[in-house]
Amino acid sequence: VSTQSTGDVLSEFNKKLFAFHMSLHPSNLSEQFLHLLVTGTASMDLENFLVHTLKEKEISNLLQSTMQSYEGIEKLIAQNFMCCCYALATQLQFLLGMSRWYDKYGELGLKEDAVQDSINKLSGLMIKAQEMLQCISHSKARLSSFLKWLLKATISLSDGNSATVKITEDELNLVVKFLKTGNLFATRADTSHFNIDTVWQYFSEENILVPPEYYNNKILDT
């Protein structure tokens, strides 16, 4: 999975969105997009931005590369990483049992607390992997809908054949939610920027910027 190249494309896309957003004061990009979605018309500034800055080809490439990366990461986690975790969990359970049978395995020097701590850490890692799978599932639906709509709108503003891009009513509803929730333009206090994606934050050493929807679930948060 070429996470680096897709991450770079997303980063550049975010920078363009943020730069245009900063030029719109007192309006903002979310309002501009919602107006375009509802009325089918765009301001001259937004039209120029979509047609000449973001460009049809770049939006199409971003849509394709992002979805391919999502699917690749999803496959690696579900089919490879989680299988390894389950196998490791089984072996750790064996070690836990051996650590408790001191008369037979005491010479191995196994410490029950140390083995249990490893089991707990592995469990936390598996929960985080499941969290990422859910994040990928949500992001695939929302980001693909947003980019498809943006591509269709850009083609239409360029007087092209926008009918080549098919988008359903459910996808349009996701676009509305995507624009109105605020997650589209998440910012950090120290480095304000746009973040149209929530998956790539898991590849950063920084804290999660946009937590999953079940973030306040006390069972998963322990």
Side-chain angles (χ1 to χ4, degrees), residues 60-170:
S60 179
N61 289 341
L62 178 62
L63 173 61
Q64 182 178 6
S65 65
T66 303
M67 293 306 109
Q68 287 178 344
S69 293
Y70 280 173
E71 291 169 2
I73 297 169
E74 194 173 36
K75 183 178 180 180
L76 283 173
I77 295 174
Q79 297 184 11
N80 298 88
F81 180 77
M82 291 304 293
C83 288
C84 291
C85 285
Y86 288 129
L88 183 56
T90 300
Q91 298 303 315
L92 285 173
Q93 288 295 333
F94 285 140
L95 290 177
L96 182 63
M98 293 167 66
S99 70
R100 292 171 175 172
W101 195 347
Y102 185 80
D103 291 343
K104 185 171 183 179
Y105 298 106
E107 293 183 357
L108 295 178
L110 293 172
K111 302 295 184 182
E112 181 179 347
D113 290 345
V115 178
Q116 186 62 61
D117 182 59
S118 297
I119 292 174
N120 293 341
K121 289 179 178 178
L122 178 62
S123 298
L125 190 60
M126 294 172 72
I127 289 175
K128 184 61 66 174
Q130 290 291 350
E131 174 186 299
M132 189 173 179
L133 285 175
Q134 178 172 326
C135 179
I136 292 173
S137 177
H138 289 174
S139 292
K140 276 201 306 184
R142 293 179 184 178
L143 186 56
S144 66
S145 298
F146 170 68
L147 290 176
K148 283 173 64 176
W149 166 75
L150 198 63
L151 176 61
K152 188 177 183 71
T154 302
I155 294 174
S156 180
L157 292 171
S158 304
D159 296 325
N161 182 16
S162 62
T164 57
V165 182
K166 306 297 182 182
I167 185 166
T168 67
E169 184 175 345
D170 287 341

Side-chain angles (χ1 to χ4, degrees), residues 36-47:
L36 175 59
L37 178 62
V38 173
T39 67
T41 60
S43 67
M44 185 63 66
D45 287 339
L46 180 59
E47 180 176 339

Side-chain angles (χ1 to χ4, degrees), residues 1 5 81 88 97 126 157 169 181 197 205 215:
V1 181
S5 60
F81 180 77
L88 183 56
M126 294 172 72
L157 292 171
E169 184 175 345
T181 56
D197 164 81
E205 295 182 358
Y215 183 76

